[in-house]
Amino acid sequence: MISDGFVQLSFTIPMALGPKTKMAVHCLAEKMNLQEIKIIHLEQIDTEKTFCILQGVCEAEVDVEKITENPEPELVYDFQHINGYIQEKIKRQIVVMGASLGRDSMPVFLDTLFNVSGYMGQAGLETYPQFKAINYRADLDMPMLAKKIADLQSDAILVSKVSTRRDDPVIDLRKFLRELEKTPGVPQHLVKICIGPRLNEQKAKDMGFDMGFGPGTVPNQVAGFIAQEMCKRLAL
Amino acid sequence: MVKLNLDWDQVALCRELAEAIVHPIERYIAMHTTVAVERAVLRLFGFEGDIEVEKGHSHPVANLIIDKIPKESLRDGVASVIAAIKKNNPKANQPKVAELILKGEIDFAKLEILPADKSTAILKPWLDSAIRHLDRMRYKKEEMRDLGESPKPLKYVMLGTGRVQEDVEQARVSAKQGADVIAIVRSTAQSLLDYVPSGETSEGYGGTFATQENFRILKEALDELSHDEKRFIRFAHNSSGLCMPELSVMAAFEGVDYLLNDVLYGTLYRDINIKRSIIDQNFSKIITGRAGIVIHTGEEIPVLSGKSQNAHQNVLANHFINEQFAKSVGMRDDLIGIGHAFEMDPKDQDSLLQELAMAQLMREIFFRSPIKYFPSSRYKKGDVYFNQVIDTLFHMVALMTGQHIQLLGTPAGHFSGSQMQDRFEALKAAQSVFKAGRSLYNEIEFVTNGKVMRHARTVLDMTAKYLRRIKNRGFFEAVEEGLFADLPRSKDGGRGCEGVIGKSRRYANPFIVTPTSNGR
């Protein structure tokens, strides 16, 4: 039966395996509102820790009709999926650039998104065969960067600005958008993304960016977003 | 045990080519130093600790001193500078010398730099104390081995919660469950910091910061555990990045057993300047070799980079090159721990056979090396049950090819970081598989000219061709053209390039003239 509500859970509880353990796990599962609880595995893994696996039935229901849109952009595709998607839809490499704005900027966040080493076990953009990823870090000033974008016909740009002063990043990021408008030859479809510790989608959109990524962003999210945006823009 | 019927002339040719690639670089290295090497020299001489430069902001003394010394004077080596200062202030201890430099009381232009042997003579007490410390740590490792060891493959687990005390706790749990090596994952992108943070740390990002105090805390806990468990439980850490020499000194002083130290890792993974990286790794190896630390290289690079269709020969070539870099500083074979990783897409037909061929090939070619066998997590997804299958396949290969160290993959480790139950599952699985197949290695032979043998031979032939291409281009040029892992890195670009310094004729670094082979 499809909607049987069957679930299987594994977790570790902070107590030794003893006469009370089974009951404790049962109580915990009841508090999770599970029915027909079956504890299928209990094993002590340390003096005060027990590993449990249990099965049960979850009677909670969700009305799919009522789900409209996901408030947070859910773009976590995997590496192969994204590359396949680009290959199939866009049929060429996407050029993506990264740069930090301002002199006291810290390109480390940018590096975690671009480098092979990546972040949270996900390799950075430069490993994607379907991306031509160029990370300028803090090497270029704003006019130079805008010129590069025009010269190399970049499809997407990731800018970061990490500053010790609170409002500084916003000002610089806006300046960058004005610089882009001034520069001839910047591709119309350029996907503009800003990244930084205090940024999110709303703040980024208020400034005129297409997207903002904050802390904890993994390369796949960025790659997935760029791929999707590109498709929208090129009306594919 | 020889099983692949390899063409050993071809293996010798690969070694010769690797030597020919590394040789010109050795000359380049001999003529250059870096700010990180000089900071490491200061740390060896006992310039430790931080100084508060402004409220709430402290910098390591070693960084402050190197930043204060003009580049022209650094060309003579920080040892020469310190010796010259000591000559004028014979009673000055390390804090006093640091104070003189940092307060601007030294006129570097007028400082009389002595010949290298005179400088060394002046610094002898500090030099001897450092060397004695390194030697003591090497002897200690030999003593610890007497406690006993698990049968091979040793079970290597990774953890890193960000909080060192939590790491100690989790290390204890894993050791009790049978782990033989505890490796600490560093905080994300620490390799990009041009200084080493200090003190005990309680927060990190995706890992725990490498600091000398953290090394000490963890090593002390593991030594205690080794005595409790009556087997040597080793401590592994990572020195890659802009501070490789300094982290190597700290690891050596605190008794770290295994250290990740790869020639190309920083350059390919983190875009660290190749020249900086090459000079740094050289000095690191001198120190780790003296302290008896096994270094592991990071061969997962070409595998993980995602673009290489034929990563196998790249991986093997990297092994040969890394081996030559280690040999060039006189490291013993048993300290050159090759790190070996492949991707095995379980969906591909005969991928297990290819993996067997590669693992056996490494084992035969680098038969003295404590190879770290690394199951790739590339084809792991969120299906934690299926991930167990992938890990088990790698366990089987490790058994069948007699590997030395098995890095244990975990069912969900690449998703949620280090979960205790995840490592528990991994250790439990490894224990059973290893026990069940303990003697497999001695019972297995491969069919002559079968798929396994043919794959091994093809890879070896292609490796020789690939090494020849690198040799013909030159090492730096090959890096620039992206011959390694398809990641082109400019030889004058990347991070830390400005920290490379040409040595003057008067350059002195008493640790380089001290032969590492002394204590053999």
Side-chain angles (χ1 to χ4, degrees), chain A residues 5 9 13 17 20 31 53 63 67 103 108 112 125-126 140 165 174 191-192 196 203 211 214 229 233:
Chain A
L9 285 175
I13 56 164
L17 181 56
K20 284 181 177 176
K31 285 197 171 183
I53 304 178
D63 186 352
I67 298 172
R103 270 180 304 144
V108 171
T112 62
L125 296 178
E126 66 177 10
L140 301 178
R165 274 173 297 165
R174 288 217 171 98
V191 181
K192 299 178 279 285
K203 276 188 192 169
M211 186 49 141
E229 272 307 291
R233 274 149 211 246

Side-chain angles (χ1 to χ4, degrees), chain A residues 8 10-12 41 43 45-46 49 51 78 80 107-108 111-112 115-119 126-127 137, chain B residues 169 172-173 177 188-189 192 268-271 305 307 381 385 420-421 424-425 428 487 489 494-495:
Chain A
Q8 181 170 301
S10 66
F11 50 84
T12 307
H41 187 72
E43 187 170 0
I45 64 174
D46 192 40
K49 289 172 188 85
F51 177 56
D78 66 21
Q80 270 120 341
V108 171
D111 285 335
T112 62
N115 284 169
V116 183
S117 187
Y119 187 55
E126 66 177 10
T127 63
R137 289 207 295 267
Chain B
E169 176 59 20
R172 191 184 59 76
V173 173
Q177 290 163 358
T188 292
L192 297 174
L268 298 179
Y269 255 38
R270 291 291 188 197
D271 198 9
S305 81
K307 289 182 186 173
K381 302 238 166 77
Y385 304 105
M420 205 182 279
Q421 66 187 48
F424 164 72
E425 281 297 322
K428 189 172 154 186
L487 288 163
R489 298 289 189 217
R495 290 167 168 277

Side-chain angles (χ1 to χ4, degrees), chain B residues 59-321:
Chain B
H59 290 312
V61 175
N63 281 68
L64 290 171
I65 293 178
I66 297 301
D67 291 349
K68 190 84 183 174
I69 299 175
K71 211 159 186 183
E72 198 46 43
S73 299
L74 270 187
R75 280 162 43 81
D76 301 327
V78 74
S80 307
V81 173
I82 302 283
I85 296 170
K86 278 279 278 179
K87 188 171 177 257
N88 300 334
N89 309 271
K91 289 225 171 90
N93 58 6
Q94 289 90 338
K96 182 70 192 161
V97 173
E99 192 187 316
L100 286 170
I101 296 173
L102 297 179
K103 289 215 165 130
E105 284 169 32
I106 306 293
D107 183 351
F108 290 101
K110 292 209 184 106
L111 205 60
E112 189 200 341
I113 299 295
L114 304 161
D117 56 333
K118 292 244 166 59
S119 293
T120 306
I122 289 175
L123 295 168
K124 193 154 188 311
W126 292 357
L127 175 67
D128 287 351
S129 143
I131 296 290
R132 269 201 305 274
H133 192 160
L134 296 176
D135 287 348
R136 207 164 51 237
M137 295 329 276
R138 194 177 68 242
Y139 300 143
K140 215 183 127 195
K141 286 187 183 69
E142 278 154 27
E143 280 168 28
M144 290 297 285
R145 220 173 291 158
D146 295 340
L147 279 176
E149 280 181 352
S150 297
K152 291 180 180 63
L154 300 178
K155 295 171 288 301
Y156 183 112
V157 298
M158 299 199 291
L159 56 95
T161 62
R163 209 165 69 84
V164 71
Q165 293 300 348
E166 177 66 22
D167 287 354
V168 167
E169 176 59 20
Q170 298 219 0
R172 191 184 59 76
V173 173
S174 289
K176 299 251 180 225
Q177 290 163 358
D180 302 301
V181 184
I182 305 288
I184 303 295
V185 179
R186 279 190 306 179
S187 186
T188 292
Q190 186 184 348
S191 51
L192 297 174
L193 296 178
D194 211 348
Y195 68 95
V196 184
S198 58
E200 181 183 331
T201 63
S202 55
E203 66 174 320
Y205 311 93
T208 311
F209 278 104
T211 73
Q212 190 159 354
E213 182 61 11
N214 285 354
F215 286 173
R216 196 193 60 73
I217 292 169
L218 278 155
K219 183 61 188 174
E220 196 181 273
L222 289 180
D223 278 354
E224 215 174 280
L225 271 168
S226 299
H227 285 107
D228 287 354
E229 295 285 308
K230 302 209 167 37
R231 66 197 158 88
F232 187 8
I233 296 164
R234 289 178 168 88
F235 180 28
H237 226 293
N238 189 345
S239 67
S240 311
L242 288 170
C243 292
M244 194 191 263
E246 289 174 276
L247 283 170
S248 298
V249 170
M250 293 175 187
F253 276 177
E254 301 304 335
V256 172
D257 302 291
Y258 293 160
L259 200 61
L260 286 169
N261 172 302
D262 188 87
V263 178
L264 286 165
Y265 174 93
T267 299
L268 298 179
Y269 255 38
R270 291 291 188 197
D271 198 9
I272 288 170
N273 176 259
I274 181 67
K275 292 176 176 171
R276 166 82 176 254
S277 189
I278 274 305
I279 302 162
D280 283 354
Q281 61 84 27
N282 179 270
F283 190 63
S284 291
K285 288 188 171 110
I286 292 173
I287 302 304
T288 53
R290 184 87 198 192
I293 295 177
V294 171
I295 57 149
H296 281 121
T297 53
E299 263 68 29
E300 68 271 27
I301 303 164
V303 176
L304 292 182
S305 81
K307 289 182 186 173
S308 288
Q309 297 301 314
N310 298 306
H312 288 176
Q313 68 268 28
N314 295 23
V315 172
L316 184 54
N318 266 14
H319 289 312
F320 278 118
I321 293 171

